[in-house]
Amino acid sequence: MQIQEAVKKEILKTFSKKRVVCLLYFGTRAFIGANKDSDYDLLLVLDKYDHTDIFQLRHIIQNQDFKNGDLNFNLLYLSDIKKRGKKNFQIRSVQSNFYKYLEYAIVLVGKNIFKSDSLKLNSEELTKIMDFNIQEYYGRCDKLFLSDKDNEEIHKKVKKHTRDIIRFMLIRQNLMTIKQITKYSFERIFAIVKSSNLLPDRVIEQLPILITNKNNHTNLEKIEYLRRAVYEK
């Protein structure tokens, strides 16, 4: 049984079907395919807040069957989303463009509320959000480099965040849409970067290291070089 199907089964067993608005599966693993650097990104939307929900969800995540599953769970409430409004939608530091991203998520349970109530963003709003995201993800990398995490964990996360920064840059420059994030492989994204002339050839030549599994100090320095080159652009 695939891990997302096992999680779906546990969610329905733990929460009444009446309370589960939707369980969505999204992210790199869902859209592009499994790879070593990708978690299982899941979003559970329940009807309204109950103080026991977070503990019940924690119990599922701690289930022995999911111990090595790299589950990345998000919990939201429909009542909160309606109260704030979709223009103010946010998960942690991720802004309203994530609402658009979730419109294309894979539905495991219920109905995708984000798709049925689509969000419209004009180019100025989208540019502002992408600028914020680039700064946020660049800062996440700094935090990782200056943490006590082991090199393998830093490699994994910094590569992922740098790929995300490249996506944000392409969306910002109208070379890619949010929907295309869910469809395009990293190789195809890198091809867009190459054909757009956004980055110098010496930088483009290094892009493949963002999808390799090599974890050594030299490679990490190359990734840092790429992160900075993209950020400066």
Side-chain angles (χ1 to χ4, degrees), residues 154-185:
I154 293 172
H155 268 91
K156 177 181 174 180
K157 296 294 184 183
V158 171
K159 280 192 290 188
K160 181 179 186 298
H161 294 335
T162 303
R163 292 194 300 258
D164 287 330
I165 290 170
I166 290 171
R167 291 190 184 104
F168 298 146
M169 178 183 70
L170 291 177
I171 293 170
R172 188 192 189 284
Q173 299 302 113
N174 295 315
L175 293 168
M176 186 173 163
T177 66
I178 292 173
K179 182 178 181 179
Q180 287 166 340
I181 289 177
T182 69
K183 305 293 183 184
Y184 288 1
S185 67

Side-chain angles (χ1 to χ4, degrees), residues 88-117:
N88 296 313
F89 179 80
Q90 191 170 357
I91 297 181
R92 298 182 304 276
S93 62
V94 181
Q95 294 186 302
S96 54
N97 68 294
F98 202 67
Y99 189 108
K100 292 291 298 177
Y101 184 64
L102 290 171
E103 289 180 20
Y104 311 106
I106 296 167
V107 180
L108 299 181
V109 179
K111 184 178 181 181
N112 188 343
I113 59 170
F114 306 99
K115 187 171 185 178
S116 58
D117 188 16

